Amino acid sequence: MFSKEEIEELVIQIRREHGLPVTPFEIDEVRYDREEDKLFIIAHDRTDKSVIIGSSLVIGKLKEILGVKMVSVYTTLDLILKRMQLERSLNFAEEHGLDFLIPFIKAEFNFPPRKWPNPKKSTKGIVFLTFNAKALLGFANAFGIESQVYGVRYSFPKLSFIPVDRSIREVFFPSEEFLKSLVKDEEIILSEFAFPARFDKVVLINPIRFLRIGYFELKYLFGESRPAVFNKADLLDYVVKMISEGLMEATDGARIIRWGWKR
């Protein structure tokens, strides 16, 4: 429906009309999801991506002109790194008999667009709420995990969970040892661990890193969540780590830090 040449011409037109420099850029591929009315632009590298987004002005005008529900921009490197992680995740799932995760991993190989299977009851587990609390609950639901939900006391007053008295640092960086101590018959623990997945008496998974889904996508998949209690230095540490791993855009990181410093 949309060709990359057409998109390139529109980006140049929008930048000229709004007094932005017409910097050379390259688009490798354009994909359109007719069912969801979403357009995905695969830029050659991050510089090209920045030109297409144009501080959100260009991409916003592009969406308006094309009349689509959403326009998202990725780079070829983004997708290469994602597939490399998915290969490791697939091996992990196969090695530990996590068959219910395999359809999600295989679906992500074809991203964009994202076409997950319908949730089916799969296993029992624990969810420990961290910064992306809504996303963790969303992943558990999508995976079909029947879960007990825990979180630091007072951390997410609008969400339902079992409160535990833990350091507020664990709002961003959960304690593996503490979570393993909660395990009874549960087979899996979901939280924002510093690694994608690990087996240590029990399976621990950070679904964000496991499927390599960035913060920008999480917002549209599950919505945003904000902790009511946290340490500002921990927030900064968390955001810097997410940006350095390519899981958060610097603009989102700046917005989150600004929000945190106003608290």
Side-chain angles (χ1 to χ4, degrees):
M1 182 176 180
F2 302 103
S3 69
K4 67 177 186 177
E5 291 77 16
E6 177 186 2
I7 302 301
E8 286 169 352
E9 288 176 9
L10 282 173
V11 169
I12 292 170
Q13 175 188 317
I14 293 166
R15 293 186 70 88
R16 282 178 175 160
E17 288 178 353
H18 292 84
L20 299 175
V22 182
T23 309
F25 66 98
E26 187 176 349
I27 293 175
D28 287 344
E29 188 181 355
V30 172
R31 303 180 190 178
Y32 177 64
D33 179 3
R34 188 179 299 275
E35 183 181 347
E36 298 288 334
D37 191 26
K38 295 178 181 178
L39 180 69
F40 301 93
I41 301 170
I42 316 300
H44 187 66
D45 61 27
R46 292 195 68 83
T47 304
D48 302 317
K49 178 178 178 179
S50 296
V51 173
I52 296 164
I53 292 175
S55 299
S56 296
L57 186 152
V58 176
I59 195 172
K61 291 293 181 182
L62 197 58
K63 174 186 170 185
E64 184 181 315
I65 293 169
L66 297 174
V68 296
K69 183 178 178 181
M70 183 184 292
V71 178
S72 297
V73 187
Y74 298 89
T75 69
T76 297
L77 179 60
D78 289 335
L79 299 182
I80 290 172
L81 292 174
K82 181 180 180 72
R83 289 176 189 132
M84 289 172 64
Q85 175 55 52
L86 291 172
E87 289 283 2
R88 293 190 287 268
S89 296
L90 182 59
N91 291 337
F92 183 88
E94 290 174 341
E95 179 182 355
H96 297 288
L98 303 172
D99 295 345
F100 67 95
L101 290 177
I102 292 175
F104 294 93
I105 298 168
K106 289 184 175 179
E108 285 294 300
F109 271 112
N110 297 318
F111 176 82
R114 176 169 287 113
K115 301 294 182 182
W116 283 356
N118 293 325
K120 297 177 182 178
K121 186 177 178 181
S122 53
T123 187
K124 290 184 178 181
I126 286 174
V127 174
F128 185 79
L129 301 180
T130 43
F131 183 76
N132 282 294
K134 284 188 177 179
L136 292 170
L137 294 172
F139 279 117
N141 181 62
F143 296 160
I145 297 174
E146 183 184 339
S147 54
Q148 290 281 339
V149 183
Y150 295 86
V152 176
R153 190 178 298 276
Y154 310 124
S155 57
F156 296 96
K158 294 183 180 180
L159 300 179
S160 178
F161 63 93
I162 301 168
V164 291
D165 293 312
R166 300 293 299 172
S167 163
I168 58 173
R169 181 170 173 79
E170 292 179 34
V171 169
F172 300 103
F173 305 103
S175 165
E176 298 170 47
E177 294 307 314
F178 169 70
L179 293 179
K180 285 187 289 185
S181 74
L182 297 176
V183 171
K184 295 175 184 175
D185 337 356
E186 293 85 359
E187 300 174 10
I188 187 170
I189 301 174
L190 296 186
S191 195
E192 290 188 73
F193 298 112
F195 47 82
R198 179 180 295 167
F199 180 79
D200 185 2
K201 300 178 184 176
V202 65
V203 172
L204 302 100
I205 289 181
N206 178 343
I208 297 167
R209 287 183 167 91
F210 190 72
L211 297 178
R212 196 171 172 82
I213 298 179
Y215 178 78
F216 176 82
E217 297 170 70
L218 295 176
K219 289 190 297 182
Y220 288 97
L221 277 173
F222 307 115
E224 289 184 278
S225 49
R226 289 284 188 274
V229 295
F230 61 91
N231 178 283
K232 291 180 180 180
D234 293 336
L235 171 67
L236 182 60
D237 194 10
Y238 171 85
V239 168
V240 168
K241 282 180 168 62
M242 290 287 281
I243 292 173
S244 67
E245 291 182 41
L247 290 170
M248 182 182 287
E249 294 293 334
T251 49
D252 276 325
R255 179 171 59 85
I256 291 167
I257 291 170
R258 186 163 55 247
W259 162 82
W261 250 248
K262 288 180 179 179
R263 297 281 294 177

